[in-house]
Amino acid sequence: NRLPERDEETVEGYLQQALESQPNHPWALNDLGALYIYQERYPEAEGVLVRAVEAEPSGVILFNLGMALFYQEKMSNARARFGQALKADGASRVPEGEVYWFLVQSHLQEGSTAEARALYRDKADLIPEQLREDLQRRL
């Protein structure tokens, strides 16, 4: 994922090679999961990210797993992972504002408008401005 040309096929090949030699390497699994999210291959992303969390439950990996679950509309599971991401080792590397955006969105998607509004009220200042604008239209 860190190659400058961002050739997805090449990146995936390198990550698969890395995983052949170290099948449970958490960061290779994480990067493969992130690539799958980018490609909208959410069930595959979930599978490799679950393995990555089992190997190393870092905040970044939990955040990515939360996104894979969110995009599959598994909202309560996504919220649980996002919450864990905020508390995990390496949480300082987790995009906190984006986590709160996903959390508010998940409540909205489930029809829990009151919970979404309350969370937004508490965390709006952490959510990036462009994402806040999106939420303000929906709340």
Side-chain angles (χ1 to χ4, degrees):
N1 278 352
R2 294 174 185 90
L3 291 176
E5 67 272 1
R6 295 280 307 171
D7 174 7
E8 295 170 26
E9 194 173 299
T10 301
V11 170
E12 186 173 355
Y14 284 138
L15 291 169
Q16 293 291 359
Q17 275 183 310
L19 290 170
E20 284 173 17
S21 66
Q22 295 183 16
N24 294 314
H25 190 281
W27 295 106
L29 290 165
N30 178 69
D31 287 354
L32 185 59
L35 177 64
Y36 288 160
I37 291 169
Y38 179 78
Q39 295 173 331
E40 299 180 5
R41 295 164 59 184
Y42 305 120
E44 291 171 90
E46 179 184 356
V48 296
L49 290 165
V50 165
R51 286 176 46 207
V53 165
E54 289 169 357
E56 184 173 326
S58 81
V60 171
I61 297 171
L62 287 158
F63 171 73
N64 286 336
L65 178 55
M67 284 197 307
L69 294 164
F70 176 89
Y71 288 121
Q72 292 179 84
E73 300 183 11
K74 298 177 179 180
M75 297 307 166
S76 65
N77 290 337
R79 278 195 301 274
R81 296 302 184 210
F82 288 134
Q84 290 171 334
L86 292 171
K87 297 174 185 164
D89 288 343
S92 64
R93 295 181 51 217
V94 173
E96 185 178 21
E98 289 180 41
V99 169
Y100 288 115
W101 180 85
F102 278 110
L103 290 170
V104 171
Q105 287 285 14
S106 71
H107 285 299
L108 287 172
Q109 291 211 14
E110 289 186 325
S112 303
T113 307
E115 289 178 31
R117 284 184 180 140
L119 182 59
Y120 180 78
R121 248 189 330 269
D122 290 343
K123 303 298 181 180
D125 58 323
L126 298 173
I127 299 171
E129 185 176 342
Q130 69 276 16
L131 296 178
R132 259 195 328 258
E133 291 172 7
D134 171 60
L135 288 175
Q136 288 168 343
R137 285 191 292 271
R138 296 189 62 208
L139 294 170

